[in-house]
Amino acid sequence: MQPLPAIRALDQFYLDARSRLLDLAATLDRIDRGSAEDDTANDPRLARIRGALEVLLSAEPAKAEQIQKLFSLDYDPAWVKPQPRF
């Protein structure tokens, strides 16, 4: 299967990307307007969001994979396999 040509991908997904970026900007504005007594400077969730933005600004390929890894736990071979409920 051939990848979608870049111009067609831009034509097809531009408005969706624009909408999601505006939504993210609004979320970050809400965080910025939050109470000064809230300590978000050391919050790992905000650090991950900032890391994801750095990935988006980079010229590196596979941005989705890199961002998914930022928000994922490392594999632990000791994890217990879920059992079905009866």
Side-chain angles (χ1 to χ4, degrees), residues 25-39:
T27 298
L28 293 172
D29 284 347
R30 288 184 201 104
I31 292 168
D32 289 343
R33 285 192 304 264
S35 172
E37 56 206 37
D38 293 341
D39 183 23

Side-chain angles (χ1 to χ4, degrees), residues 10-11 17 19 22 29 34 39 43 48 52 60 62 78 83 85:
L10 186 58
D11 288 344
S19 172
L22 286 168
D29 284 347
D39 183 23
D43 193 307
R48 286 186 188 104
E60 297 295 318
Q83 299 297 317
R85 296 182 198 164

